Amino acid sequence: ALPVEEFLSGVDVRPEHIAAGLDVARRDELDAIADGLASDRLALVVGPSGAGKSALLWRAGAGEAQRGG
């Protein structure tokens, strides 16, 4: 397992990080992704390197899986 300090220092996010709750909750962005998936079956996530796009998508995917999406 990856120590919390190493994760917070800027490593590539993995599903295990999401499962361990090491990501930052971004409710507005997660809601926008869920809305896009529900209405258009897609969502485009853009941002600079290191902004947390991968963590956001892993978290959104975990949420969709829990809802049966």
Side-chain angles (χ1 to χ4, degrees), residues 7-57:
F7 172 74
L8 295 175
S9 70
V11 299
D12 292 334
V13 70
R14 297 188 308 242
E16 303 88 62
H17 299 144
I18 304 306
L22 296 175
D23 59 318
V24 176
R26 294 184 277 176
R27 188 79 257 151
D28 292 341
E29 290 86 349
L30 289 168
D31 289 344
I33 291 171
D35 290 347
L37 293 175
S39 64
D40 300 316
R41 299 187 60 204
L42 62 92
L44 178 64
V45 178
V46 297
S49 178
K53 298 176 300 291
S54 295
L56 183 61
L57 291 173

